Amino acid sequence: MFTNDQRQKELTGKSGTLRLQYLHVLLELVAQFQNASSEETKEKIIANLGNFAYDPYNYTFSSNPNEKLVEFVVGGICNACADPTNDAVIIQCDGIPLVIECVSSPVRNTVNYALGSLYYLCNATTEDEILKPEIVEAIERFSAAGSVNTGFSNLAQACP
């Protein structure tokens, strides 16, 4: 399920994996999704992207300027961090700063996923890291935007 450097070496041997090539494959999957007409094909592609996003080992490979890929990755993180076991792994792998970066994304879904992730990740241990003044300010802005964007407002109001 989750991997780390040691496990990755065990799986791939001395030569390792070509992670950048793997990212190019993921970008190709995004392009295929955008061009796909079959719902079944789209579902398979999203499942593959979700599997990539689900593993915190891939966070360091997902800081990519492709906003669609970032959206899918943070969406996977949001889905995964609702489970306390995954939450702990995301925190241990320093995923919180990467999620925080997504709060300023120009893509609405990415911001929603980031806020949802921070909601699940925020606890007594992580609140100092998550509830920094700039994040609280962003949450307050989103919360006040009720008539402009109800989704942001509702999610922001749920945040601590």
Side-chain angles (χ1 to χ4, degrees), residues 34-160:
Q34 291 170 335
N35 295 323
S37 56
S38 160
E39 289 300 312
E40 183 179 353
T41 301
K42 288 181 179 182
E43 289 170 2
K44 288 178 182 176
I45 292 169
I46 290 297
N48 287 326
L49 290 169
N51 285 335
F52 176 81
Y54 190 68
D55 190 341
Y57 183 77
N58 293 318
Y59 294 174
T60 57
F61 303 105
S62 63
S63 55
N64 188 309
N66 182 317
E67 290 296 334
K68 271 297 188 196
L69 183 58
V70 172
E71 176 186 350
F72 292 140
V73 169
V74 78
I77 292 168
C78 185
N79 289 334
C81 71
D83 180 317
T85 303
N86 297 338
D87 175 294
V89 173
I90 292 165
I91 293 166
Q92 179 186 359
C93 293
D94 296 323
I96 290 174
L98 297 172
V99 172
I100 287 173
E101 285 180 31
C102 295
V103 171
S104 61
S105 171
V107 179
R108 283 184 180 190
N109 283 343
T110 302
V111 175
N112 274 332
Y113 296 144
L115 288 174
S117 298
L118 293 174
Y119 174 82
Y120 286 114
L121 293 168
C122 192
N123 60 44
T125 307
T126 61
E127 68 181 313
D128 287 343
E129 183 177 9
I130 292 174
L131 297 178
K132 293 178 180 175
E134 60 272 17
I135 299 303
V136 172
E137 182 181 305
I139 290 171
E140 288 171 351
R141 273 195 327 270
F142 293 138
S143 182
S147 61
V148 177
N149 190 321
T150 308
F152 279 170
S153 178
N154 291 342
L155 189 54
Q157 288 176 25
C159 288

